[in-house]
Amino acid sequence: MNGTPNAPPLADVLRLAAFAWMRLRTGTSLDRALDVALQTASAPVHPRLAAAAKDVAYNAVRHLALIDAVIARLSARSPDAAVGALVAVALGQLIVSRRADYAVVDQAVHAAKQDVSTRAASGFVNALLRRWLRQHDDLLPDLERDEVVRLNMPRWWIDRIRAAHPQCAEAIFDLQRAPPPLVLRVNRRRSTVAEYLERLARAGIEASRVGGYAVRLRIPRPVAAIPGFGDGDVSVQDAGAQLAAEWLDVRGGMRVLDACAAPGGKTAQLAELGDIELDAVEIDAQRATRIESNLARTSAREHARIRVIVGDVGTPQSFAPAAGYDRILFDAPCTASGIVRRHPDIPWLRRPADVAQLATLQARLADALWPLLAPAGRLLYVVCSIFPEEGERQAERFARRWADARPVPLPASGTQASVQLLPGEVAQTYGGGLPTVHDGFFFALFEKS
Ligand SMILES: C[S@@+](CC[C@H](N)C(=O)[O-])C[C@H]1O[C@@H](n2cnc3c(N)ncnc32)[C@H](O)[C@@H]1O
């Protein structure tokens, strides 16, 4: 029934995924919704069940617009939230056909019968899923005529990307619907990239270099099965994201501020770059705990003096800043429009007004951070966004507001002091410069003159 031995019952997987889907539809991010599903489950959830539910929920979100359209077309009235969620995650499984259709329908009906909120609708669940199986060959081309369904993004999101990047919009859409690559950052304090690639080869794992310290596994696998991950020899980090700490030009003895630090991917990376004094500030106390676990796994405190501080970089007195930082990494809160392939829920969680609101927040935080920089110090502004309001325009306005902010050319970009990296993958071997596989980011570097 469940494909592989020891696989959790599919009905349990569907129920957990449906719970997360329901929360997502009321505005909670999918990762957070999955965490809540695990925390509020009546009994401890086995890691295999949690992983399977995550997979099923993510798969459904990758087809969210199609699923909504199918339910609207095949049911006379919209189902209750709990019933709709169960149908949605089951439809997601039928759409990708990775499991036997009969097993998905059978287990979805079984799941419906197990819960008081869905029990009365088990017949409806059965009927709707079977209708989809009978009609999908006709229905699919018809529903996919709607671009929102085909691209799985809200109309306003599609329009904004087309307006901002008319030449590359279709390539961005294609890439953002594809499953994300698994990219690692090799801890340079532990080994070279070549040594780590050899280690992978010895373990029979195919991989290639896609950036300075970035290695892509040909087939993604759980972190527990990645050689050296538990010991901090490598970390999971997109090759574009790796550029931020690299481009900050951190050297031993410097005082560095990692502003907006959780979950700490770049904090740990900064500690790999030099024996520095590092303040990592994060406003969200719960997320800040993840910085500590990243630092512990990579033994970052062996080299760097690190303070992890729960505080608001917009009000620096809240975190007792050092007297003049040599470097500030400002990885600002943003729409995250550059990392949709990793977080397919993002376009469905944002509202059009969020772009301007986040741009205002970014400007306010940047203005609060700039005075904390020592003379000749550098601030790198980073967002994982491809919207110009958060990127190029933000950097231009910042330079206009601060007469002592001198734009500095970024490494690997000739004379440009800012780079908009669009999500991309090129089929060439990495030969230095920009990574060959990366998500979407904007970077701008300023020096205090
Ligand atoms: C893009 S994420 C940072 C990712 C992180 N630098 C990394 O590489 O793992 C932005 C973070 O900024 C935090 N944040 C938002 N507003 C903040 C503020 N005013 N002060 C400090 N942190 C803030 C968010 O909670 C979020 O964790």
Side-chain angles (χ1 to χ4, degrees):
M1 186 66 69
N2 297 304
T4 45
N6 297 327
L10 181 55
D12 293 352
V13 175
L14 293 172
R15 279 176 55 203
L16 209 54
F19 180 93
W21 173 277
M22 227 174 10
R23 293 231 159 202
L24 168 79
R25 299 316 294 270
T26 54
T28 306
S29 77
L30 189 53
D31 284 344
R32 178 87 197 106
L34 285 159
D35 281 349
V36 174
L38 300 189
Q39 284 155 15
T40 55
S42 52
V45 176
H46 192 282
R48 268 200 296 270
L49 173 55
K54 181 174 183 178
D55 189 56
V56 165
Y58 261 80
N59 173 67
V61 176
R62 289 188 192 283
H63 302 91
L64 184 149
L66 174 60
I67 287 169
D68 277 357
V70 170
I71 295 175
R73 185 68 73 88
L74 296 183
S75 58
R77 57 183 176 82
S78 50
D80 287 353
V83 177
L86 187 56
V87 170
V89 295
L91 270 174
Q93 292 300 293
L94 296 179
I95 287 166
V96 293
S97 304
R98 269 193 235 120
R99 303 177 199 257
D101 293 343
Y102 74 88
V104 174
V105 179
D106 174 74
Q107 291 291 294
V109 172
H110 189 53
K113 286 180 179 164
Q114 283 174 334
D115 197 285
V116 67
S117 63
T118 48
R119 193 169 300 148
S122 61
F124 169 83
V125 171
N126 185 39
L128 192 139
L129 296 178
R130 287 184 191 281
R131 223 171 289 151
W132 165 252
L133 288 175
R134 277 197 308 276
Q135 299 182 23
H136 77 272
D137 282 353
D138 297 329
L139 216 50
L140 191 60
D142 188 31
L143 296 176
E144 286 195 329
R145 268 202 283 275
D146 179 356
E147 220 176 28
V148 170
V149 170
R150 191 158 38 81
L151 301 180
N152 195 42
M153 290 173 197
R155 181 78 259 157
W156 71 271
W157 190 277
I158 296 170
D159 293 344
R160 221 171 236 279
I161 290 181
R162 284 228 171 91
H165 308 288
Q167 311 296 328
C168 335
E170 305 314 311
I172 293 172
F173 296 142
D174 283 349
L175 198 88
Q176 294 204 326
R177 276 174 302 146
L182 179 62
V183 178
L184 305 173
R185 178 187 78 243
V186 175
N187 183 345
R188 68 197 74 190
R189 290 195 189 259
R190 305 280 176 82
S191 73
T192 65
V193 172
E195 284 163 355
Y196 187 69
L197 283 170
E198 274 170 33
R199 185 172 171 187
L200 289 178
R202 282 197 301 275
I205 300 171
E206 276 185 68
S208 57
R209 185 178 198 168
V210 295
Y213 288 85
V215 165
R216 177 190 189 160
L217 301 192
R218 194 174 74 77
I219 301 171
R221 49 174 47 219
V223 288
I226 295 173
F229 177 85
D231 298 328
D233 298 345
V234 286
S235 299
V236 175
Q237 190 182 39
D238 176 74
Q242 294 185 28
L243 294 173
E246 293 282 348
W247 284 354
L248 199 58
D249 185 25
V250 164
R251 279 168 268 139
M254 281 186 169
R255 274 199 299 243
V256 182
L257 172 61
D258 183 3
C260 301
K266 298 184 187 74
T267 319
Q269 185 185 8
L270 286 165
E272 287 163 20
L273 293 174
D275 296 353
I276 54 175
E277 266 180 54
L278 179 56
D279 284 350
V281 182
E282 166 59 46
I283 200 166
D284 182 330
Q286 200 178 357
R287 280 174 64 80
T289 59
R290 294 178 59 196
I291 306 177
E292 287 293 0
S293 47
N294 256 319
L295 296 181
R297 185 182 55 79
T298 53
S299 310
R301 286 198 168 90
E302 277 176 18
H303 310 286
R305 276 204 2 231
I306 307 174
R307 293 195 299 162
V308 175
I309 304 162
V310 177
D312 175 1
V313 298
T315 50
Q317 60 275 26
S318 73
F319 65 89
Y325 291 103
D326 302 298
R327 296 286 184 265
I328 296 179
L329 176 58
F330 178 30
D331 194 6
C334 69
T335 56
S337 56
I339 55 171
V340 170
R341 65 174 167 173
R342 294 192 191 282
H343 298 282
D345 51 338
I346 284 170
W348 303 107
L349 293 169
R350 304 277 180 261
R351 299 287 167 265
D354 292 351
V355 183
Q357 272 168 20
L358 281 160
T360 304
L361 173 66
Q362 291 149 7
R364 181 171 70 74
L365 299 183
D367 288 349
L369 287 168
W370 187 249
L372 306 182
L373 200 60
R378 288 181 172 190
L379 178 146
L380 183 73
Y381 171 77
V382 188
V383 279
C384 53
S385 174
I386 56 174
F387 294 149
E389 295 86 337
E390 303 179 275
E392 206 58 65
R393 263 177 248 157
Q394 188 71 267
E396 282 162 14
R397 287 181 187 154
F398 181 78
R400 278 205 297 272
R401 287 199 302 279
W402 293 93
D404 59 347
R406 186 178 70 83
V408 181
L410 287 163
S413 69
T415 56
Q416 286 172 257
S418 65
V419 168
Q420 175 68 75
L421 204 61
L422 296 175
E425 289 198 29
V426 287
Q428 72 191 33
T429 311
Y430 175 73
L434 292 174
T436 54
V437 174
H438 52 77
D439 292 339
F441 291 90
F442 175 83
F443 306 89
L445 185 59
F446 299 95
E447 188 172 272
K448 193 172 252 188
S449 56

